Amino acid sequence: MERQKLYKHLSNPKTAIHLTTDTWTSSCQKINYMVVTAHFITEDFVMHKRVVNFREVDTHKAEDMVRELLICINEWGMKNVMTMTVDNAKTNDAAINIIVKELPGIYENGKHFHIRCMAHIINLVVKMGLKHEVYHVKNLQDAVKHIRASPQRIKTFKQAMKDAAVESQRFLCGETPTRWNSTFELLRSAYDVKDAFLEYSHQDPMFQKTVGRVPSHSDFEMIKKMMEFLEKFKKKTEKVSCSTKPIFHTYTREILDIEQHLRKHETNPDFMFMVPDMKDKYDKYWGDYDTISDYVFFATLLDPQCKSKFMKVVFTQMLKAKNKDKKMSADEIESKARAKVIDIKCKLDKFFKTYLERSNMTSSSQQETPEEVVNFDDENEFFGSYMTSGSFPSTSSESQLQRYLNEDPIGFDKGYDILTWWKNNAVRFPIVARMARDILGMQISTIASESTFSNGRRVITDYRTNLSVVIVEALICTQDWLRKSSLPIYDYDEVHDVLADDELAIDIVDAIHNLKLTGKRSGN
């Protein structure tokens, strides 16, 4: 039943679908799985995320991935797949290049179909910095590794924490080589219990011989600076990992905040050896606005808090960051930024016209009927010639987008919900609202797919290695569809039918009346 309900929405040509996908190998079964999650915003401006595929894939090669993706798209009857978000593996790039050829009607022939995972790029940027060995950090890493090597040492360190009157409830975190944030957690947990290290060295005679020296005050001063530097990237990773609400419109402001953070520390003696490599990796993906998807800039324009005014600031900042050799003057940067804003607005207008063409002007839905259409008496030739001569101010549907962009941006509010704003203003800008609904559902990370693998590890255990891939998919998908965190997808036609059914309404009233009588008899 849940599958049929979901199929009805995914197969609707009006539903813009954004896919995220990733692959994972089960350590228990030694089987390669590929997950596909679908993200979309319904007509009531509610965002949904559903796992639609969790199947075996022969290899991680592009051809095998494309085959499974196309099977998934066809089985669900998806007719309007707008984007796909993947990490930066080369096989994913190859897979995207193949799949766009199989999906007709994509914006600019799929040039902007591929959305790169922001969380993965942040991970690459930070790892470029951490590849440089920091003396103070290395000393602390060795100390933590020594303590966590045996249960007896852990017990001794916990006693040292008590003896040193450490109030923190944290304990030393381990480190995972492939996850930079584990390094951050190690530094933070060690800093919170820094007073216990000296006490521990008195109780473990092998500690100083193995590590070399006890982490000192100077070490923890540097650790504190390193934590403050990495804190920005940790918060950004957590923010872009959200898949339950739209955050695509924040893309430009987030990447420019990272650029500003790197620029702020590039002259800092403590980090100047790290930042250049991090900046190079940043520039590879975000340094040139021509390499960023048009959808990113469309989403910024469709954010009522930003619009063209903020868009100009974005391009100005990107050009300033790119102008390292000072070849461009301030006036040239200003002129180029202004020209780029005009270019993006023209592209958005062209994209808007595709929605205008697809919209059904005779639709019974008042919300989708452009309010600018003016009907006049065709028999009055004089008045008709006046309306079509150009003397009368233009009220064509094309001006709907321009009217929205010409309005002043709304004030900043921390409690602001972009979907609520568009829902409330859909009557004024019906077609623009529909376009915004489709664009704002795009994903900037693959966390939604990766988190499904965590659930996969709980389903496929050492005691369930004989589960077939069909049953695994059924368990994982059905659990995702039914869990409480998933918002129900209401079918408004069915709800209307229920409300219009007089006999059913009488049955409901009678049932409520009987429940009240039963409650009174039982004393409740």
Side-chain angles (χ1 to χ4, degrees):
M1 290 172 64
E2 287 294 322
R3 180 181 175 85
Q4 290 174 357
K5 187 192 301 181
L6 184 57
Y7 181 88
K8 185 174 182 179
H9 284 267
L10 296 181
S11 61
N12 187 345
K14 293 183 179 180
T15 303
I17 302 167
H18 310 284
L19 302 178
T20 63
T21 185
D22 205 350
T23 55
W24 166 69
T25 302
S26 168
S27 59
C28 300
Q29 294 180 322
K30 303 302 179 184
I31 293 177
N32 298 320
Y33 286 96
M34 184 176 74
V35 64
V36 179
T37 57
H39 306 258
F40 57 96
I41 298 176
T42 51
E43 293 184 6
D44 57 342
F45 287 86
V46 176
M47 188 168 180
H48 296 270
K49 185 270 294 185
R50 294 291 189 276
V51 178
V52 295
N53 189 15
F54 195 91
R55 295 185 182 176
E56 179 182 7
V57 59
D58 294 337
T59 67
H60 296 292
K61 293 181 180 179
E63 295 78 8
D64 293 329
M65 293 175 62
V66 169
R67 184 177 63 254
E68 292 299 327
L69 283 168
L70 290 176
I71 290 174
C72 175
I73 291 171
N74 290 330
E75 285 185 351
W76 283 100
M78 299 178 188
K79 299 178 180 65
N80 189 10
V81 179
M82 283 186 69
T83 61
M84 182 173 291
T85 305
V86 294
D87 61 30
N88 296 303
K90 291 182 179 180
T91 54
N92 288 331
D93 292 343
I96 293 293
N97 291 334
I98 298 173
I99 202 168
V100 292
K101 299 175 183 178
E102 304 294 333
L103 300 176
I106 303 178
Y107 171 64
E108 285 202 353
N109 297 319
K111 183 180 177 182
H112 307 282
F113 181 78
H114 182 188
I115 306 295
R116 296 186 181 276
C117 175
M118 185 185 286
H120 190 73
I121 296 175
I122 293 174
N123 181 57
L124 294 176
V125 170
V126 178
K127 286 174 72 175
M128 286 299 293
L130 293 179
K131 75 175 186 179
H132 295 276
E133 189 173 286
V134 181
Y135 172 73
H136 304 281
V137 173
K138 182 65 168 62
N139 183 54
L140 185 61
Q141 288 172 323
D142 292 340
V144 172
K145 186 177 180 180
H146 171 84
I147 294 169
R148 289 178 55 89
S150 75
Q152 184 59 42
R153 292 174 186 173
I154 292 174
K155 184 178 180 181
T156 303
F157 189 82
K158 288 182 177 179
Q159 183 59 47
M161 290 171 60
K162 293 181 180 179
D163 296 341
V166 174
E167 297 181 358
S168 175
Q169 298 299 314
R170 290 180 178 274
F171 190 69
L172 301 176
C173 294
E175 190 174 16
T176 305
T178 56
R179 294 174 57 241
W180 75 266
N181 53 334
S182 67
T183 303
F184 175 84
E185 294 298 336
L186 180 148
L187 299 179
R188 186 170 65 172
S189 63
Y191 184 82
D192 287 348
V193 297
K194 59 182 181 295
D195 296 333
F197 282 92
L198 181 60
E199 185 66 31
Y200 176 80
S201 66
H202 297 154
Q203 302 178 28
D204 182 359
M206 294 298 297
F207 180 59
Q208 196 162 350
K209 292 180 181 180
T210 304
V211 177
R213 68 183 185 86
V214 180
S216 63
H217 179 74
S218 62
D219 291 323
F220 286 109
E221 283 296 315
M222 182 58 192
I223 296 303
K224 184 179 180 181
K225 294 178 182 178
M226 182 65 75
M227 287 165 52
E228 292 172 350
F229 176 67
L230 295 177
E231 180 80 22
K232 174 74 71 174
F233 301 98
K234 182 178 183 294
K235 288 183 177 179
K236 294 300 179 191
T237 302
E238 291 173 348
K239 185 170 184 178
V240 304
S241 299
C242 176
S243 61
T244 58
K245 61 181 181 180
I247 55 173
F248 193 72
H249 60 289
T250 67
Y251 195 111
T252 53
R253 70 182 79 166
E254 297 303 333
I255 63 173
L256 287 178
D257 192 37
I258 293 174
E259 192 275 334
Q260 180 176 286
H261 183 68
L262 291 173
R263 188 159 30 88
K264 178 182 176 183
H265 287 85
E266 65 183 352
T267 56
N268 188 326
D270 294 325
F271 302 103
M272 59 190 308
F273 64 95
M274 297 171 56
V275 172
D277 287 341
M278 298 175 72
K279 192 69 170 63
D280 288 342
K281 184 63 72 173
Y282 174 94
D283 290 338
K284 179 181 178 180
Y285 295 103
W286 296 324
D288 188 353
Y289 51 63
D290 289 329
T291 62
I292 298 176
S293 171
D294 283 353
Y295 287 134
V296 171
F297 303 126
F298 290 174
T300 304
L301 288 173
L302 292 172
D303 183 351
Q305 293 185 125
C306 300
K307 297 189 179 181
S308 307
K309 186 176 182 180
F310 180 70
M311 198 78 263
K312 184 172 177 291
V313 174
V314 168
F315 290 130
T316 301
Q317 186 58 45
M318 285 184 169
L319 287 167
K320 285 181 178 179
K322 195 176 180 180
N323 190 32
K324 296 178 181 179
D325 50 6
K326 308 295 182 182
K327 288 185 177 180
M328 290 187 292
S329 65
D331 290 339
E332 288 176 318
I333 291 176
E334 181 82 7
S335 177
K336 280 195 172 186
R338 193 182 304 112
K340 187 61 182 177
V341 172
I342 294 172
D343 177 56
I344 289 296
K345 289 172 70 175
C346 289
K347 288 183 177 181
L348 182 61
D349 184 63
K350 183 179 178 181
F351 190 65
F352 168 75
K353 287 176 181 177
T354 63
Y355 276 77
L356 193 62
E357 292 171 2
R358 291 201 303 260
S359 65
N360 184 1
M361 297 303 179
T362 60
S363 173
S364 59
S365 172
Q366 295 181 358
Q367 192 171 1
E368 292 186 5
T369 302
E371 60 183 6
E372 296 88 353
V373 176
V374 177
N375 295 318
F376 54 88
D377 190 355
D378 293 333
E379 295 180 359
N380 191 320
E381 295 181 5
F382 172 77
F383 185 66
S385 62
Y386 166 71
M387 293 293 290
T388 57
S389 65
S391 302
F392 190 82
S394 175
T395 56
S396 64
S397 295
E398 286 81 358
S399 66
Q400 187 185 122
L401 175 64
Q402 198 60 45
R403 278 197 296 109
Y404 160 75
L405 292 174
N406 287 339
E407 288 186 0
D408 292 333
I410 64 174
F412 177 76
D413 181 10
K414 287 186 177 181
Y416 159 76
D417 182 358
I418 190 169
L419 288 184
T420 300
W421 190 93
W422 275 111
K423 182 178 181 179
N424 294 336
N425 289 270
V427 175
R428 293 200 299 136
F429 313 111
I431 299 177
V432 183
R434 181 177 173 184
M435 183 173 65
R437 192 178 72 216
D438 292 349
I439 291 176
L440 294 175
M442 296 177 183
Q443 297 297 298
I444 59 178
S445 79
T446 59
I447 301 299
S449 293
E450 293 176 9
S451 62
T452 307
F453 296 140
S454 299
N455 190 28
R457 293 185 183 92
R458 291 189 289 270
V459 172
I460 308 169
T461 66
D462 291 335
Y463 302 99
R464 292 176 172 178
T465 54
N466 285 334
L467 284 175
S468 68
V469 292
V470 176
I471 294 298
V472 169
E473 182 181 38
L475 290 170
I476 290 175
C477 289
T478 309
Q479 185 182 45
D480 177 74
W481 301 341
L482 295 177
R483 64 186 180 181
K484 293 180 180 179
S485 61
S486 294
L487 293 171
I489 307 175
Y490 293 109
D491 190 321
Y492 286 94
D493 292 335
E494 292 180 4
V495 172
H496 178 75
D497 291 342
V498 169
L499 293 176
D501 191 332
D502 292 337
E503 293 183 2
L504 182 58
I506 294 172
D507 291 341
I508 292 173
V509 172
D510 290 341
I512 293 173
H513 180 68
N514 292 333
L515 283 173
K516 288 181 178 180
L517 290 177
T518 305
K520 288 179 180 180
R521 289 168 188 160
S522 60
N524 295 327

